[in-house]
Amino acid sequence: MTRFLLPLAAFIVLVGFLAVGLNLKPREVPSPLIGKPAPVFQSQLLHEPERMLASQDNLGKVWLLNVWASWCVSCREEHPLLVELARSGIVPIYGLNYKDKRDLALQWLNQYGDPYTVSVVDPEGRIGIDYGVYGVPETYVIDKNGVIRHKQIGPVTVESLEKKILPLIKELQG
Amino acid sequence: MNLALPFALLKNSYPQKISDLRNTFAGKQLILLLVFVLLSPLSWAKEAAPVADDPVLERRMIALSEDLRCLVCQNESLAGSRADFANDLRREIREQMQANKSDREIIDFLVARYGDFVLYRPPVKPATYLLWGGPFAFLLTGAGILFFYLKRRRKQIEEPPLTEEQHRHAEALLKEDKGNNA
């Protein structure tokens, strides 16, 4: 009897492993920055290049940092949601315009709407490297103490917003 | 090189023989053109210029980035990937090397931002014990199973000694065989 049961058991275990493996998302590499202070940056504003924003200016409030670019196709997917979120006034969204051209970025915002309190520019992707950005769009939830609490890799979806991001924001603001 | 002019001229006075070439204006231009075209490879013949300003540093950068994973195209190393992301990180590594950072410091810099996933050689720590030890565990298990299986098998195929009766029977058979051959 064990002659058949043993291979069968081994087979079931293997199928179990494969089933779990199939449902993993290898594109979503967990960020080591979660629970760590958000990397400090200071950069020009997209709309007013003569003004600067420093990340420390946002200490004391919960904010989202959304990495976007006009060349990024999936950014278009999440954009209506961000516009809606910004309109609701729940949380300020700051944009990091990643490896983009200023005129194209401005044109893109004109076309699709501008959900950002302000956008800062990162033309060479250096702030991006500090934040561990590798797949635009990415969205970071940063708390009042400037600590990264969550990183959304890829477009924000209704599901991720309702299940993860909004409850987390509420908790952090409370 | 612009070929349009000599060929346009050639159209007007197409030479009938090779010797005609020398006599026409377009022919002279064509010969000149041929000379230039044939000579030009010689002028290019030199060693390929290194892409980087500092070939030694570039080699060190490539050697380091071969052990690092590109997060965009995850089956490629940072050295081999043509993704924009890999380009940026190679630039970052290059700049840090120029700033006299050690390989260790650069790797720590990248791991702090992208996690252990950037390393093709993950560090040995509790979370990776299974990863590092797994193959050896499999090997030992396999060797153990094989050892016991062979031991059992040897016992099974060991020939039991012949009984008295079997001996007699065998002897009888052998005698019979001899008788037939003779």
Side-chain angles (χ1 to χ4, degrees):
Chain A
M1 203 53 187
T2 50
R3 216 187 140 95
F4 299 105
L5 277 182
L6 225 67
L8 185 69
F11 176 72
I12 289 170
V13 169
L14 184 68
V15 168
F17 272 107
L18 293 179
V20 171
L22 271 179
N23 288 307
L24 291 176
K25 289 182 187 152
R27 300 233 13 114
E28 289 184 14
V29 182
S31 170
L33 287 169
I34 289 166
K36 300 244 169 73
V40 171
F41 64 80
Q42 182 172 21
S43 189
Q44 292 178 348
L45 301 192
L46 176 67
H47 287 85
E48 301 162 82
E50 67 284 352
R51 280 185 54 205
M52 307 280 271
L53 175 89
S55 56
Q56 302 100 303
D57 297 348
N58 283 346
L59 282 177
K61 64 182 171 192
V62 181
W63 54 295
L64 295 187
L65 180 69
N66 176 250
V67 185
W68 67 281
S70 66
W71 47 261
C72 151
V73 181
S74 337
C75 293
R76 225 165 289 179
E77 205 177 294
E78 67 169 6
H79 207 68
L81 269 176
L82 294 183
V83 172
E84 205 179 307
L85 180 63
R87 206 170 287 151
S88 76
I90 293 173
V91 67
I93 309 173
Y94 286 77
L96 180 68
N97 185 228
Y98 179 70
K99 300 193 74 172
D100 209 348
K101 293 204 170 71
R102 191 180 295 271
D103 50 338
L104 294 177
L106 288 171
Q107 193 190 329
W108 196 84
L109 287 183
N110 271 335
Q111 195 172 344
Y112 298 103
D114 184 355
Y116 304 113
T117 309
V118 290
S119 274
V120 295
V121 295
D122 183 21
E124 292 180 341
R126 287 176 193 274
I127 301 173
I129 289 180
D130 276 343
Y131 274 80
V133 170
Y134 67 91
V136 193
E138 288 184 10
T139 307
Y140 298 81
V141 180
I142 298 169
D143 71 9
K144 290 177 181 169
N145 299 319
V147 173
I148 295 179
R149 303 302 289 261
H150 178 65
K151 176 185 182 185
Q152 166 86 21
I153 298 162
V156 171
T157 59
V158 176
E159 200 196 353
S160 65
L161 210 55
E162 283 176 352
K163 282 203 176 137
K164 184 74 207 179
I165 298 174
L166 287 178
L168 179 64
I169 288 171
K170 194 173 259 178
E171 186 197 319
L172 294 175
Q173 282 174 336
Chain B
M1 205 174 288
N2 191 2
L3 292 170
L5 181 67
F7 278 107
L9 289 165
L10 258 183
K11 249 188 193 167
N12 294 335
S13 55
Y14 192 76
Q16 299 300 313
K17 288 183 289 196
I18 295 292
S19 59
D20 283 353
L21 269 180
R22 253 176 284 148
N23 301 328
T24 59
F25 176 62
K28 276 180 186 152
Q29 280 215 329
L30 188 67
I31 289 171
L32 208 60
L33 177 78
L34 279 174
V35 168
F36 283 148
V37 168
L38 291 173
L39 279 181
S40 53
L42 297 178
S43 64
W44 294 338
K46 59 174 180 180
E47 253 179 52
V51 186
D53 306 333
D54 182 348
V56 177
L57 186 127
E58 196 68 8
R59 263 202 298 280
R60 194 183 140 208
M61 188 276 287
I62 296 288
L64 183 64
S65 55
E66 259 165 4
D67 275 346
L68 298 170
R69 186 199 307 271
C70 169
L71 272 82
V72 176
C73 22
Q74 298 183 346
N75 288 327
E76 283 187 308
S77 71
L78 273 186
S81 175
R82 296 183 62 182
D84 224 26
F85 171 80
N87 257 334
D88 286 357
L89 281 190
R90 283 198 297 264
R91 179 197 64 199
E92 185 70 36
I93 294 172
R94 203 177 288 129
E95 285 173 1
Q96 296 209 8
M97 283 179 170
Q98 277 159 358
N100 279 326
K101 292 267 177 68
S102 73
D103 286 6
R104 191 68 251 163
E105 283 172 310
I106 296 170
I107 285 175
D108 288 345
F109 172 90
L110 291 172
V111 168
R113 281 154 184 78
Y114 297 100
D116 285 339
F117 197 73
V118 291
L119 304 173
Y120 268 127
R121 262 181 254 262
V124 182
K125 57 184 193 181
T128 59
Y129 283 166
L130 194 63
L131 180 71
W132 282 102
F136 298 105
F138 271 116
L139 185 71
L140 281 179
T141 316
I145 289 173
L146 186 70
F147 177 75
F148 285 111
Y149 174 74
L150 288 179
K151 217 173 147 186
R152 209 177 62 183
R153 190 161 159 270
R154 177 169 297 168
K155 216 175 265 172
Q156 276 173 353
I157 59 175
E158 223 164 58
E159 281 184 54
L162 294 180
T163 60
E164 201 64 17
E165 197 179 333
Q166 283 169 324
H167 263 296
R168 274 201 298 276
H169 188 58
E171 225 135 279
L173 282 173
L174 283 170
K175 266 181 197 151
E176 197 177 296
D177 200 34
K178 264 182 195 159
N180 283 348
N181 283 343

